[in-house]
């Protein structure tokens, strides 16, 4: 049997962990069950990840990356900020709506980690990662439009995260996609109002 490179095996284990968690819950994601789902051995799991916390970090990162803008994204300068924000939120919502169980999983991981003393730092790291990604997105939007945010970027990122968390949690409960999308886009309009327009002119059609 050909030897699988470590990075490829790590990705297989992350994917297997997500599948187990989505279908059976976070508590069900034991190393034994993850190994069985990935069709590998317990020794391989422990070789690839030094701890469950390390594995969970990779799981959270994988899910966050599905929602975030690509790290190397370069938006055209001079474009309209309201249109960019609306497009971003529409894209985010389409991704969220496509995988409700994955969205539920992110909250389950947070609550599970907060109840486990050895994992509590994971919950803090999880939300620090969310805030970091949202600050990066806000920076990208600002650079693309020549706009300046009038609110501290960390505060703005926390507001953004609170809005997303609130919308998604309510949607997971009531399943009202139309209302969730409307609330998210309304927040986007308010977000735009916290920017000072730049001097960059939109491109001529």
């Amino acid at each position: 049997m050909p030897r699988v490179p470590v990075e490829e095996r790590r990705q297989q284990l992350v994917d297997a962990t997500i599948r187990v968690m989505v279908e059976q819950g976070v508590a069900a994601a034991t190393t034994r069950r993850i190994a069985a789902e990935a069709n590998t051995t317990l020794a391989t799991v422990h070789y690839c990840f030094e701890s469950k916390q390390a594995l969970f970090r990779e799981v959270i990162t994988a899910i966050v990356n599905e929602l975030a803008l690509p790290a190397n994204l370069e938006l055209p300068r001079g474009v309209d900020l309201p249109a960019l924000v609306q497009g971003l939120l529409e894209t985010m919502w389409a991704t969220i709506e496509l995988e409700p169980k994955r969205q539920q999983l992110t909250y389950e991981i947070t609550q599970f980690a907060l109840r486990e003393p050895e994992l509590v730092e994971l919950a803090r790291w999880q939300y620090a990662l969310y805030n970091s990604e949202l600050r990066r997105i806000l920076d990208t939007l600002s650079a693309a439009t020549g706009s300046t945010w009038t609110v501290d970027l960390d505060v703005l990122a926390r507001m953004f995260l609170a809005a997303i968390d609130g919308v998604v949690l309510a949607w997971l409960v009531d399943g009202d996609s139309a209302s969730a999308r409307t609330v998210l886009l309304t927040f986007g309009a308010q977000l735009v109002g916290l920017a000072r327009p730049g001097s960059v002119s939109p491109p001529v059609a």
Side-chain angles (χ1 to χ4, degrees), residues 22 32 66 89 96 100 103 105 116 134 159 162 171 196 202:
V22 165
R32 186 176 300 278
E66 292 178 2
L89 292 176
I96 289 168
Q103 299 307 314
L105 173 58
E116 298 291 331
L134 289 171
M159 289 171 59
W171 170 71
R196 184 181 297 112

Side-chain angles (χ1 to χ4, degrees), residues 54-74:
L55 175 56
F56 279 19
R57 279 178 181 248
E58 290 299 317
V59 166
I60 294 168
T61 301
I63 295 172
V64 170
N65 285 340
E66 292 178 2
L67 283 177
L69 290 171
N72 60 351
L73 179 67
E74 292 185 9

Side-chain angles (χ1 to χ4, degrees), residues 74-79 84 139-147 200:
E74 292 185 9
L75 298 174
R77 293 183 179 277
V79 292
L84 272 183
D139 266 336
T140 301
L141 292 171
S142 175
T145 60
S147 303
V200 181

Side-chain angles (χ1 to χ4, degrees), residues 13-198:
L13 290 169
V14 168
D15 293 341
T17 303
I18 292 174
R19 290 195 299 272
V20 171
M21 288 179 170
V22 165
E23 295 303 324
Q24 303 174 50
V26 176
T30 63
T31 51
R32 186 176 300 278
R33 192 162 295 177
I34 291 166
E37 179 68 26
N39 195 28
T40 189
T41 65
L42 277 173
T44 299
V45 178
H46 292 302
Y47 175 76
C48 291
F49 293 98
E50 68 274 15
S51 65
K52 180 176 282 190
Q53 184 173 20
L55 175 56
F56 279 19
R57 279 178 181 248
E58 290 299 317
V59 166
I60 294 168
T61 301
I63 295 172
V64 170
N65 285 340
E66 292 178 2
L67 283 177
L69 290 171
N72 60 351
L73 179 67
E74 292 185 9
L75 298 174
R77 293 183 179 277
V79 292
D80 180 65
L81 180 61
L84 272 183
V85 170
Q86 179 175 342
L88 168 67
L89 292 176
E90 293 273 19
T91 300
M92 277 188 169
W93 180 249
T95 303
I96 289 168
E97 196 172 25
L98 190 64
E99 295 279 4
K101 286 187 176 181
R102 286 197 177 216
Q103 299 307 314
Q104 184 176 343
L105 173 58
T106 63
Y107 300 116
E108 289 179 357
I109 288 175
T110 304
Q111 291 300 320
F112 182 81
L114 287 173
R115 289 183 179 277
E116 298 291 331
E118 70 275 15
L119 294 177
V120 70
E121 282 301 320
L122 177 66
R124 296 187 183 123
W125 175 86
Q126 178 184 4
Y127 270 75
L129 176 62
Y130 291 165
N131 279 309
S132 175
E133 283 298 300
L134 289 171
R135 285 197 302 270
R136 183 179 61 78
I137 288 172
L138 291 166
D139 266 336
T140 301
L141 292 171
S142 175
T145 60
S147 303
T148 304
W149 297 111
T150 60
V151 176
D152 179 81
L153 204 59
D154 185 61
V155 172
L156 204 57
R158 286 174 176 268
M159 289 171 59
F160 203 159
L161 178 56
I164 294 171
D165 267 355
V167 169
V168 174
L169 276 170
W171 170 71
L172 287 171
V173 172
D174 63 28
D176 190 343
S177 294
S179 293
R181 179 180 173 277
T182 297
V183 172
L184 200 57
L185 293 180
T186 300
F187 166 75
Q190 294 176 331
L191 181 66
V192 170
L194 296 175
R196 184 181 297 112

